[in-house]
């Protein structure tokens, strides 16, 4: 009997070791650890004043761009202990230069740590509201600001909720309502890593309004960037670890219905949508392993992917920019506007490129 128990225990241990080894190989594949992309340059220059990343960028139809900078995110390198900042940039200016936004109100700016951003324009009076994911002391909350002058944000409200436990990005659909992605299945890092190790797609997207908060979509390995179509009919979500963009249709009562997934072959972070064409632009990480094990001698690269005709039977996925990290490290967002492209990063610089 004792010998049989030893055999059973040995078999269980061997099976567990084999499973864990297999999963770690799958995790390396998920992180695209062996991927190298050839450099594909554009005519670009660095944006002034952006030294510690521009994790997210959003551009209004009139060419006004908002940038979140200085993100300090767990597991990612950080080269500044200063609080994060918000910038604004006028792309219609002959020499567009980011200007720091002055923030007024009761928000604690000493721990401001901005992540994903979104803008909502109230059609009743054209008021501009800026929504910012904020991680003070690595918490998860959403700040709502009113953009009132050329360089001023007035803080209106901080939103927290148990469902908004690991917010990465946000898309505003009302003055106080939005969809938000959770990039962790649990706020606890160990529990989240366990779900990734086991391959459990337990991350979700939350719909929030003053009247309700609920899970609107789930089944993501890690829900990351989110945005909306120009006609407000569709929601696009990046499942970064699944290397795909998921397309949902908005139905009455802010219900989301999944339509399709589009493979992109990279770890795509934030999503921006061309106001004019509806094309999807993605800031991506070509090799996630280089990002998580940062080595300044072999830095993580950058990649920009565009999806044309995403609602057709055959969307066209193309690489528009690629770098090995010697010009731009760890791209997160690519925002187009009238022949120009702004590319932001987690912790590095930001580029303004010509597409024409």
């Amino acid at each position: 009997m004792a010998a049989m128990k030893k055999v059973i225990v040995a078999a269980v241990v061997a099976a567990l070791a084999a499973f864990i080894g297999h999963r770690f190989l799958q995790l390396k594949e998920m992180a695209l650890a062996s991927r190298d992309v050839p450099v594909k340059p554009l005519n670009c220059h660095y944006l002034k004043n952006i030294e510690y990343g521009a994790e997210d960028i959003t551009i209004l139809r009139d060419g006004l761009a908002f940038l979140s900078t200085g993100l300090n995110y767990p597991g990612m390198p950080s080269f500044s202990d200063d609080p994060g900042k918000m910038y604004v940039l006028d792309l219609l200016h002959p020499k567009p230069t980011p200007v720091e936004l002055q923030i007024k109100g009761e928000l604690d700016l000493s721990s401001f740590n901005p992540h994903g951003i979104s803008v909502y324009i109230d059609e009743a009076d054209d008021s501009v509201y800026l929504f910012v994911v904020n991680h003070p002391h690595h918490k998860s909350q959403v700040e709502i600001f009113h953009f009132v002058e050329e360089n001023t944000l007035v803080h209106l409200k901080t939103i927290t909720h148990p469902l908004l436990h690991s917010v990465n990005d946000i898309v505003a659909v009302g003055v106080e309502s939005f969809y938000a992605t959770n990039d962790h299945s649990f706020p606890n890092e160990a529990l989240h890593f366990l779900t990734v190790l086991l391959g459990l797609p337990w991350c979700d997207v939350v719909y929030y309004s003053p009247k309700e908060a609920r899970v609107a979509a789930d089944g993501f390995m890690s829900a990351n960037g989110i945005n909306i179509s120009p006609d407000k009919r569709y929601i696009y979500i990046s499942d970064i670890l699944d290397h795909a963009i998921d397309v949902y249709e908005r139905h009455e009562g802010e219900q989301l219905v999944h339509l399709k997934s589009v493979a992109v072959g990279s770890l795509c972070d934030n999503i921006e949508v061309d106001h004019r064409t509806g094309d999807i632009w993605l800031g991506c990480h070509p090799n996630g392993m280089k990002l998580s094990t940062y080595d300044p001698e072999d830095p993580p690269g950058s990649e920009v992917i565009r999806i044309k005709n995403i609602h057709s039977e055959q969307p066209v996925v193309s690489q528009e920019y690629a770098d090995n990290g010697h010009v731009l490290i760890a791209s997160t967002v690519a925002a187009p506007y009238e022949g120009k492209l702004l590319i932001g990063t987690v912790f590095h610089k930001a580029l303004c490129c010509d597409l024409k």
Side-chain angles (χ1 to χ4, degrees):
M1 181 66 75
M4 181 60 70
K5 286 184 177 179
K6 288 182 179 179
V7 170
I8 293 173
V9 170
V12 170
V13 170
L16 182 61
F19 172 77
I20 292 175
H22 177 66
R23 281 304 302 164
F24 270 110
L25 288 176
Q26 288 184 319
L27 289 178
K28 288 184 69 176
E29 292 178 2
M30 189 183 296
L32 304 177
S34 61
R35 184 172 184 245
D36 286 312
V37 294
V39 172
K40 184 176 183 178
L42 288 171
N43 180 22
C44 307
H45 65 270
Y46 290 122
L47 287 175
K48 292 182 178 179
N49 303 328
I50 306 299
E51 300 295 333
Y52 301 111
E55 201 283 335
D56 204 2
I57 301 170
T58 190
I59 306 175
L60 305 186
R61 291 181 182 274
D62 63 2
L64 206 61
F66 294 94
L67 302 84
S68 64
T69 71
L71 174 66
N72 188 326
Y73 192 75
M76 294 291 109
S78 177
F79 299 101
S80 174
D81 294 326
D82 293 335
K85 299 176 181 179
M86 298 297 303
Y87 283 81
V88 66
L89 172 73
D90 184 1
L91 284 168
L92 295 182
H93 192 279
K95 295 183 177 181
T97 302
V99 175
E100 182 181 349
L101 285 160
Q102 303 303 306
I103 298 177
K104 297 181 179 180
E106 297 182 359
L107 182 66
D108 179 11
L109 296 180
S110 67
S111 61
F112 188 47
N113 191 14
H115 198 170
I117 63 176
S118 180
V119 169
Y120 181 78
I121 299 177
D122 189 346
E123 295 180 355
D125 57 6
D126 291 329
S127 292
V128 176
Y129 297 93
L130 181 64
F131 291 62
V132 180
V133 177
N134 184 20
H135 302 294
H137 310 294
H138 301 303
K139 298 178 183 177
S140 178
Q141 58 196 52
V142 175
E143 316 293 351
I144 302 179
F145 300 92
H146 186 198
F147 180 61
V148 293
E149 297 175 13
E150 289 184 359
N151 63 346
T152 302
L153 292 175
V154 176
H155 183 250
L156 300 178
K157 190 174 186 178
T158 295
I159 295 173
T160 60
H161 192 277
L163 289 177
L164 301 170
H165 55 77
S166 307
V167 178
N168 182 295
D169 197 15
I170 187 171
V171 60
V173 294
V175 174
E176 291 188 29
S177 58
F178 54 84
Y179 289 95
T181 57
N182 281 315
D183 59 14
H184 283 46
S185 48
F186 296 96
N188 180 280
E189 287 285 344
L191 287 176
H192 172 66
F193 177 74
L194 181 61
T195 64
V196 174
L197 180 63
L198 296 175
L200 302 175
W202 285 1
C203 292
D204 55 30
V205 172
V206 174
Y207 171 71
Y208 177 91
S209 75
K211 295 182 179 180
E212 64 171 333
R214 56 177 167 78
V215 173
D218 56 18
F220 301 94
M221 286 301 300
S222 182
N224 204 291
I226 185 169
N227 218 316
I228 195 167
S229 60
D231 61 6
K232 313 301 182 187
R233 183 178 173 184
Y234 301 100
I235 296 288
Y236 309 117
I237 300 164
S238 174
D239 191 343
I240 188 169
L241 295 182
D242 196 36
H243 315 149
I245 303 301
D246 288 289
V247 181
Y248 288 81
E249 187 172 31
R250 294 172 72 192
H251 285 207
E252 187 176 352
E254 293 297 349
Q255 302 295 321
L256 296 183
V257 175
H258 187 259
L259 298 181
K260 64 162 65 175
S261 294
V262 179
V264 290
S266 190
L267 295 155
C268 291
D269 204 313
N270 289 313
I271 301 172
E272 291 302 312
V273 182
D274 189 310
H275 294 294
R276 183 173 53 84
T277 65
D279 291 352
I280 308 297
W281 288 78
L282 309 165
C284 309
H285 307 289
N287 186 319
M289 190 64 72
K290 288 186 178 182
L291 180 62
S292 59
T293 59
Y294 178 74
D295 177 2
E297 299 300 319
D298 186 21
S302 295
E303 186 174 22
V304 172
I305 291 175
R306 175 166 60 167
I307 305 176
K308 294 181 179 180
N309 304 319
I310 193 168
H311 298 288
S312 69
E313 292 186 3
Q314 294 183 321
V316 179
V317 179
S318 61
Q319 183 193 71
E320 301 296 323
Y321 173 85
D323 183 70
N324 56 13
H326 291 85
V327 174
L328 196 68
I329 298 173
S331 58
T332 55
V333 62
Y337 185 80
E338 300 296 337
K340 295 186 181 297
L341 184 70
L342 301 182
I343 308 176
T345 65
V346 181
F347 51 81
H348 189 218
K349 296 179 180 291
L351 292 178
C352 181
C353 305
D354 291 326
L355 291 174
K356 296 179 178 179

